[in-house]
Amino acid sequence: MLLALTALALLAIGLFMTLGARGSWAFVLSYRGTKLAAIVLVGHAIAVSTVLFQTISANRILTPSIMGFDWLYRLLQTALVFSAGAAFTVTIDSVLLFAVETAILVGFACLLYGTLLSSHARDIHRLLLIGFVLGVLFRSLAELMQRLIDPNDFVVLQDLMFASFNTVDVSLLGVAALVIGAATLATARLLPTLDVLALGRDTAISLGIAHRRTTLLVLALCALFVAVSTALVGPVTFFGLLVASLARSLVGSRRHAVMLLAASLCAVIALVGGQTILERGLGYNSALGMVVEFAGGIVFLALLLKKGTA
């Protein structure tokens, strides 16, 4: 199955790079290669962060996005435009902005979810409720500021808050690749530990795992992956749930070495293949972010209604 997914991913990449190409190949490969790199980085980051979060939360319907990360990102963007204006926002150094947003997301993850998931209050329903409540709080604060800002600034803000795979900040690709690469290496070193964590908190502790410290480390990695994906294309709420569920159904393995690779390949196939269809088949008539959100939302509802998911 992994070989088949790899072949499909390579086929999708090949079609994306060559289908309908005209003019100078140097320009075409450079232009499409930049977009392809961003799509692959985002797909990998979202897939890995979702699988990691589901492991430490022991629940297949939770993702970092559902638990408030996306609206925290939107709140940060809104607060920046509200306080400094759109003119300052579009001129600020993107690497500096990325570093600040990453630090805030990592701190939020470790402070809140690290406390909830590793303390004695381990009720998953309470965690889900608090995540949704915080998401509503962040959304309310963001919408309040959006009603008060200048209409011209709001137009700029809208472009920052919604996922778009057509406009990618090229200056962030190098930094994003380094961060994702480092986080992926750290995740690879934790693979055996993640397999033990999936057995449950009490079992992991009895087998010698420092559960609280490991949970905080995994949460920090999740926040790094989410920060990179949102900084490059914007927030995507349900896509991680979609690819994680698809990978789990295809490989049928609990080993994280297999699950993470399968989820990453499914993400690449979905994003690269979907972008190819939209660009070459539909002529940009649809936004890929809207399509994956719709499909991921259906998967979320199906898992929520299915017995035994919690």
Side-chain angles (χ1 to χ4, degrees):
M1 183 57 67
L2 290 178
L3 290 176
L5 291 175
T6 303
L8 286 176
L10 293 176
L11 176 61
I13 291 174
L15 291 175
F16 178 81
M17 294 295 294
T18 60
L19 192 63
R22 298 183 179 87
S24 173
W25 275 100
F27 172 78
V28 171
L29 294 179
S30 175
Y31 175 75
R32 294 189 181 184
T34 300
K35 186 183 295 186
L36 175 65
I39 292 176
V40 171
L41 287 174
V42 168
H44 172 72
I46 294 176
V48 173
S49 65
T50 301
V51 174
L52 292 180
F53 195 82
Q54 289 179 349
T55 296
I56 59 177
S57 63
N59 194 284
R60 296 183 181 182
I61 66 173
L62 298 186
T63 71
S65 298
I66 294 175
M67 301 304 295
F69 275 93
D70 279 1
W71 275 109
L72 176 58
Y73 171 81
R74 291 186 173 100
L75 177 60
L76 294 176
Q77 299 293 332
T78 304
L80 180 61
V81 175
F82 178 79
S83 60
F88 176 79
T89 303
V90 297
T91 57
I92 191 174
D93 184 68
S94 58
V95 177
L96 174 61
L97 182 61
F98 168 76
V100 173
E101 291 172 349
T102 301
I104 293 176
L105 286 173
V106 171
F108 172 72
C110 294
L111 179 64
L112 177 63
Y113 298 138
T115 302
L116 289 174
L117 290 174
S118 57
S119 66
H120 294 291
R122 301 191 305 275
D123 186 359
I124 197 64
H125 301 290
R126 187 185 310 180
L127 172 64
L128 182 60
L129 177 61
I130 291 176
F132 275 116
V133 169
L134 287 175
V136 172
L137 174 63
F138 296 150
R139 182 181 64 186
S140 300
L141 293 174
E143 290 179 347
L144 174 62
M145 286 186 285
Q146 289 167 18
R147 293 178 181 273
L148 299 176
I149 64 176
D150 184 85
N152 295 323
D153 291 344
F154 182 73
V155 174
V156 177
L157 178 61
Q158 279 187 313
D159 293 334
L160 299 174
M161 292 195 305
F162 296 99
S164 174
F165 294 91
N166 295 321
T167 56
V168 177
D169 191 344
V170 180
S171 63
L172 287 179
L173 280 179
V175 178
L178 290 176
V179 174
I180 289 181
T184 301
L185 290 177
T187 302
R189 297 187 61 180
L190 289 174
L191 288 176
T193 304
L194 292 171
D195 291 338
V196 177
L197 283 178
L199 299 177
R201 179 180 182 274
D202 295 335
T203 302
I205 292 177
S206 67
L207 293 176
I209 300 297
H211 189 270
R212 179 179 177 82
R213 184 178 63 187
T214 305
T215 298
L216 291 176
L217 176 58
V218 174
L219 282 169
L221 292 174
C222 288
L224 284 175
F225 284 123
V226 172
V228 171
S229 64
T230 51
L232 284 178
V233 302
V236 183
T237 304
F238 292 112
F239 179 68
L241 183 66
L242 175 64
V243 295
S245 301
L246 180 61
R248 185 175 288 107
S249 63
L250 289 176
V251 298
S253 174
R254 295 181 178 270
R255 294 181 57 226
H256 283 78
V258 178
M259 270 294 303
L260 291 174
L261 179 57
S264 182
L265 289 172
C266 288
V268 172
I269 293 171
L271 290 181
V272 177
Q275 191 70 21
T276 302
I277 293 174
L278 292 179
E279 288 185 4
R280 309 299 166 234
L282 302 179
Y284 293 98
N285 290 328
S286 301
L288 181 59
M290 296 173 60
V291 176
V292 297
E293 289 291 270
F294 176 75
I298 293 177
V299 173
F300 173 71
L301 291 176
L303 291 176
L304 192 63
L305 296 175
K306 183 179 178 181
K307 293 183 179 179
T309 54

